[in-house]
Amino acid sequence: MDLIKKIENEQLRDDDFELNVGDTLRISYRIKEGEKTRLQDFEGTVIKIVGGSVNKSFTLRRVSYGVGVERTFLYNSPRIEKAVVVRHGKVRRAKLNYLRDRQGKAAKVREKTNY
């Protein structure tokens, strides 16, 4: 068991970024196209956080050209170059799956004013 924990601790992220459900994040993700690599930004609302330790992942949702786009990222992935919290959201739930059914202003999360 100690060997497994040792390997998992080596794979953990050094520069932790704080995120909660309802926050709006801007992720710079490294994408490999053929021989070249480039950074692509994805900005969206965190609708769920799953797992812990090495297996922790989170899902971002945004609406692009009227179509809802969701993308799941591994928290400890080496492909995440940087993550910036754009806005802190004020929510009362752990999973915001109800946002999938909402449109327009109803799909927004209120911003936390004091934190």
Side-chain angles (χ1 to χ4, degrees):
M1 272 318 237
D2 293 335
L3 181 63
I4 293 173
K5 288 197 183 269
K6 183 179 177 185
I7 293 171
E8 284 182 354
N9 287 335
E10 290 174 1
Q11 295 178 354
L12 289 177
R13 183 173 207 75
D14 294 333
D15 55 336
D16 287 344
F17 53 92
E18 192 66 34
L19 75 143
N20 292 313
V21 176
D23 291 352
T24 301
L25 285 179
R26 183 179 298 125
I27 299 287
S28 294
Y29 198 69
R30 193 177 306 119
I31 293 178
K32 187 174 182 182
E33 295 175 333
E35 300 285 324
K36 299 180 181 179
T37 60
R38 65 181 178 88
L39 290 178
Q40 182 176 14
D41 285 351
F42 190 91
E43 184 174 340
T45 305
V46 180
I47 62 168
K48 65 180 173 179
I49 300 173
V50 182
S53 185
V54 175
N55 299 322
K56 186 175 182 180
S57 66
F58 57 96
T59 302
L60 296 181
R61 177 180 173 80
R62 74 171 177 200
V63 177
S64 179
Y65 299 106
V67 178
V69 178
E70 290 185 9
R71 187 154 182 195
T72 302
F73 296 96
L74 292 173
Y75 183 82
N76 292 301
S77 175
R79 290 188 175 200
I80 294 179
E81 194 68 29
K82 70 175 183 179
V84 178
V85 177
V86 178
R87 240 182 339 265
H88 293 280
K90 182 179 179 183
V91 293
R92 296 170 62 176
R93 294 171 183 250
K95 306 272 193 285
L96 303 180
N97 293 325
Y98 66 89
L99 290 179
R100 294 174 177 156
D101 300 330
R102 307 273 175 99
Q103 293 179 350
K105 286 186 178 181
K108 290 188 177 182
V109 175
R110 292 192 340 197
E111 188 172 358
K112 198 184 287 187
T113 54
N114 54 351
Y115 46 87

